[in-house]
Amino acid sequence: MSILKLVSSKAASEIDKELMGPQVGFTLQQLMELAGFSVAQAIQREYPLNQNRNKNGVFIIVGPGNNGGDGLVCARHLKLFGYNPIVYYPVRSKRTEFYSQLVNQLEFFQVPILSEEQQNKWTEYLEPGKIACIVDAIFGFSFKPPIREPFGTIVEELNKLEDKIPVVAVDIPTGWDVDNGPIENEPSYVPSVLVSLTVPKPCSQCINPKRTTHYVGGRFIPRHFAEKYGFEPYEYKGTDQILKF
Ligand SMILES: NC(=O)C1=CN([C@@H]2O[C@H](COP(=O)(O)OP(=O)(O)OC[C@H]3O[C@@H](n4cnc5c(N)ncnc54)[C@H](O)[C@@H]3O)[C@@H](O)[C@H]2O)[C@H](O)CC1
Ligand SMILES: [K+]
């Protein structure tokens, strides 16, 4: 258990810029690898492998930005952990070549990515007995409402699935305002698990702990850097990449 500390969407993006700026020198690839790895670890903790291999499906919905990149990395780690990830990537990022490299890696790991034809019937892949959880890696801290298609329809489907298949939200539940949480008259859903990256964003205060288990992941900052941004570093245990609140 740890005290919840929060940073705004603006501060989160400043933290990111500084970590990847000339002085600190992290690459996006490094941070994303740790972020995606921590989400995979939270999934393993919440939904341990079933002895029946047919029940270990994880359906990962990937958005066009870095939140989506976390999802692509997470899929690869889940495959190594023994799960059967399936990736739905409807709007592919052309921002950097790095995203197509992540896709190549998934092909190398034989992780299926839905083809355009399969995307039209993506909900058919969500068989409650076979899919342990869905991963929402659609949007993170750069989401600006209102949500554009196809993502609005996707979030409406996640809302309908709430009682059938648990959803793990990466950093932000897609559709929520990063600072204020669910938005009136906009599509939203309630995640079963939220994995906040680096530090929780203010919308995480809107979760109901009876419905959503909250983790922090993305273990990549030293104490002095956390303090500079006004929060204490989290007390991760041993080699864990995640900490449950
Ligand atoms: N330091 C860390 O914690 C790290 C976090 N990471 C992850 O990166 C995301 C933030 O990534 P960013 O690329 O800045 O933005 P998003 O993925 O949230 O989305 C950008 C993407 O979305 C489009 N978009 C925005 N609003 C809308 C809308 N209303 N409708 C449709 N599309 C929209 C926009 O055009 C962009 O294409 C953070 O949350 C973490 O998950 C990194 O992995 C690095 C380390
Ligand atoms: K998300």
Side-chain angles (χ1 to χ4, degrees):
M1 229 7 175
S2 178
I3 306 156
L4 198 61
K5 306 132 194 168
L6 306 164
V7 299
S8 66
S9 53
K10 192 163 163 274
S13 119
E14 280 163 14
I15 290 174
D16 240 32
K17 276 205 195 94
E18 187 167 351
L19 287 173
M20 290 185 267
Q23 266 186 327
V24 183
F26 272 119
T27 60
L28 174 65
Q29 285 88 331
Q30 283 179 289
L31 297 184
M32 197 175 273
E33 191 66 28
L34 288 169
F37 182 48
S38 62
V39 177
Q41 204 173 80
I43 291 169
Q44 190 278 332
R45 209 56 68 80
E46 285 295 308
Y47 310 104
L49 278 180
N50 196 296
Q51 286 196 332
N52 179 343
R53 295 171 71 179
N54 292 327
K55 294 183 179 234
N56 292 322
V58 179
F59 192 85
I60 301 163
I61 311 179
V62 173
N66 293 344
N67 196 260
D70 296 346
L72 295 173
V73 170
C74 169
R76 170 161 40 80
H77 286 287
L78 285 173
K79 178 80 181 196
L80 283 170
F81 292 174
Y83 292 85
N84 308 318
I86 304 170
V87 170
Y88 174 31
Y89 191 11
V91 179
R92 296 208 183 188
S93 174
K94 295 184 191 78
R95 227 192 267 180
T96 71
E97 204 205 341
F98 175 48
Y99 288 93
S100 45
Q101 291 170 330
L102 288 175
V103 167
N104 290 348
Q105 289 158 27
L106 289 180
E107 282 163 4
F108 176 62
F109 277 75
Q110 300 178 333
V111 172
I113 304 180
L114 298 191
S115 66
E116 251 175 69
E117 197 189 317
Q118 290 168 323
Q119 287 180 19
N120 296 328
K121 41 178 186 166
W122 66 277
T123 50
E124 289 177 18
Y125 292 83
L126 298 171
E127 290 179 69
K130 291 189 178 169
I131 301 289
C133 67
I134 299 171
V135 177
D136 159 19
I138 304 175
F139 299 129
F141 62 59
S142 299
F143 170 69
K144 297 276 174 304
I147 195 164
R148 294 190 293 274
E149 287 305 315
F151 300 106
T153 307
I154 294 173
V155 173
E156 276 163 13
E157 286 294 339
L158 293 183
N159 179 294
K160 284 188 221 158
L161 286 161
E162 256 171 31
D163 301 323
K164 298 186 187 86
I165 305 177
V167 181
V168 177
V170 179
D171 210 18
I172 312 286
T174 295
W176 291 26
D177 181 90
V178 181
D179 293 324
N180 302 309
I183 309 162
E184 223 179 289
N185 301 322
E186 279 285 312
S188 73
Y189 76 95
V190 176
S192 298
V193 175
L194 169 63
V195 185
S196 292
L197 294 170
T198 312
V199 57
K201 317 304 173 297
C203 66
S204 64
Q205 281 188 308
C206 299
I207 62 172
N208 173 353
K210 287 191 185 134
R211 292 187 67 185
T212 306
T213 306
H214 192 188
Y215 286 88
V216 65
R219 186 181 180 182
F220 40 59
I221 57 169
R223 167 170 288 275
H224 67 86
F225 188 83
E227 285 168 352
K228 176 176 161 187
Y229 281 92
F231 62 95
E232 283 274 307
Y234 295 97
E235 285 155 20
Y236 291 95
K237 304 276 180 298
T239 55
D240 279 4
Q241 298 297 309
I242 46 164
L243 176 72
K244 192 173 181 172
F245 288 110

